[in-house]
Amino acid sequence: MELQVDVQVRGAATWWEVAAAEWRPAHLAAWAAGYLRCEWVTASHSGDFRLVSHLTGPPGVLVVATALDGDSADSVAGIFPSADFHEREVRQMFGIRFAGAADARPAFDVDFGGHPLRRDFPLTPRQAQPWPGSHEPEGKAGRRAVLPPGVNPEWSR
Amino acid sequence: MRHASIALHSASCTSCMLCVRECPDWCITVSAHTQDDPSAPAYSNARRPSQTKVLDAFTIDFGHCMWCGICLEVCPFDALFWSESALPEPTERDALVLDRDGLESLLPGARRSDGSAAPQLGDPPSGRRKRQ
């Protein structure tokens, strides 16, 4: 079964862009090609989730990347045991579930009350704390309504 | 140069609040009051005296500061400078919040972007501020 991969060379690393369904088969193929160690698995969220893993081995550095449709993906911890902790961290930070993951514990013993690295996770200290730029130097509120940098107006709705 | 801290030349500061608003970590607080400007020229047809802002307090919380330099870049009056002077060694968390005196004490190590020395305490403003 042929793997559909969009291969690019970026600096010292080879990048494989694959479809979400090929996430696990791509890792099997990477292992077979000699990339024997998983250094990192992480995700990013801007609208849709992207999943990225960094693999190394005698051939060099390989990055496997995919765009997820929803918030679930296949676990590759069966192929690369070191991916297990990274998948636990991604699950806790982004809420992406990994099918077939053996360990369902969160990575960190902290209750964030949500998935902190998602785009829509509100930064509660910024909602709670008064912004020093909201008032004029004399102390009274200014006529302009300026939002502080890094605060999304939807958070206060 | 080594960006060990950020120094303030308060004679150059006009309390415009741009650094306060642009700091991504909300590290800076500024308070000032308005008073009649004694150094303004007296125009006989002026309806009211010319006014100026006098800086009361200026603090930077170096416990939150990321050393991004946005405050320096956005200051229209060149009142903030990178300094090679080390921050005072803190014995508690609050000691990392430097007030105006603490920020001025970092001026000796402060440099402009071209490497020349920044204005020191008592020097007149050298940026775009017209009056002290």
Side-chain angles (χ1 to χ4, degrees), chain A residues 42-65:
Chain A
T42 188
S44 71
H45 184 215
S46 70
D48 295 317
F49 287 114
R50 278 184 62 76
L51 208 48
V52 178
S53 71
H54 287 232
L55 310 173
T56 56
V61 177
L62 173 69
V63 179
V64 183

Side-chain angles (χ1 to χ4, degrees), chain A residues 18 42 47 74 82 104 108-109 156:
Chain A
V18 296
T42 188
D74 288 326
S82 57
F108 308 112
D109 187 20
S156 49

Side-chain angles (χ1 to χ4, degrees), chain B residues 1-10 13 19-20 22-30 58-75 78-88 95-112 118-120:
Chain B
M1 67 165 288
R2 186 160 175 266
H3 293 173
S5 59
I6 297 172
L8 169 72
H9 185 242
S10 21
C13 174
C19 59
V20 177
E22 294 300 317
C23 172
D25 260 355
W26 307 4
C27 298
I28 305 179
T29 67
V30 165
F58 193 113
T59 70
I60 297 182
D61 184 351
F62 284 100
H64 281 301
C65 177
M66 295 188 289
W67 272 257
C68 66
I70 289 177
C71 56
L72 269 84
E73 290 171 12
V74 84
C75 175
D78 294 346
L80 290 167
F81 298 92
W82 287 122
S83 173
E84 290 174 322
S85 303
L87 290 171
L96 285 171
V97 182
L98 259 64
D99 62 5
R100 179 180 172 173
D101 294 328
L103 293 168
E104 286 172 345
S105 73
L106 301 167
L107 277 173
R111 301 274 173 274
R112 297 177 187 281
Q120 297 298 307

